[in-house]
Amino acid sequence: QWDDYIWHTIDKHNILTGMTTRQVWVSWGEPDKIMKETVSNKEIIKYIYQGKTLLFESDTLISASE
């Protein structure tokens, strides 16, 4: 049900802002750690992958940093 661009990104094991947690999981595998926190009354989910931190809001990737 995902479009071709998302599948192409997943096939290359890359990620893009706007991806869902499931799409990132399919692309990169299980994260090393998952954390939840509340920032400005919004639940933020953090996926940690070998030093990289991905932030999700409402199941959408909003930020990736090292």
Side-chain angles (χ1 to χ4, degrees), residues 2 7 17 22 28 31-32 36 44 50 59-60 64:
W2 301 328
W7 277 116
T17 55
R22 180 72 181 139
W28 280 15
D32 299 324
K36 292 181 183 180
I44 302 295
Q50 298 178 357
D59 197 45
T60 301

Side-chain angles (χ1 to χ4, degrees), residues 5-63:
Y5 188 70
I6 292 295
W7 277 116
H8 179 73
T9 301
I10 289 170
D11 286 343
K12 294 176 98 181
H13 301 286
N14 291 326
I15 59 168
L16 298 167
T17 55
M19 290 178 100
T20 66
T21 53
R22 180 72 181 139
Q23 290 167 337
V24 170
W25 195 292
V26 171
S27 185
W28 280 15
E30 183 178 355
D32 299 324
K33 188 173 187 179
I34 299 173
M35 301 173 358
K36 292 181 183 180
E37 62 183 58
T38 302
V39 178
S40 301
N41 294 326
K42 296 178 184 177
E43 185 178 76
I44 302 295
I45 299 173
K46 290 184 180 181
Y47 276 17
I48 310 296
Y49 287 94
Q50 298 178 357
K52 293 184 172 95
T53 301
L54 309 183
L55 301 180
F56 294 87
E57 181 183 330
S58 301
D59 197 45
T60 301
L61 180 61
I62 59 171
S63 174

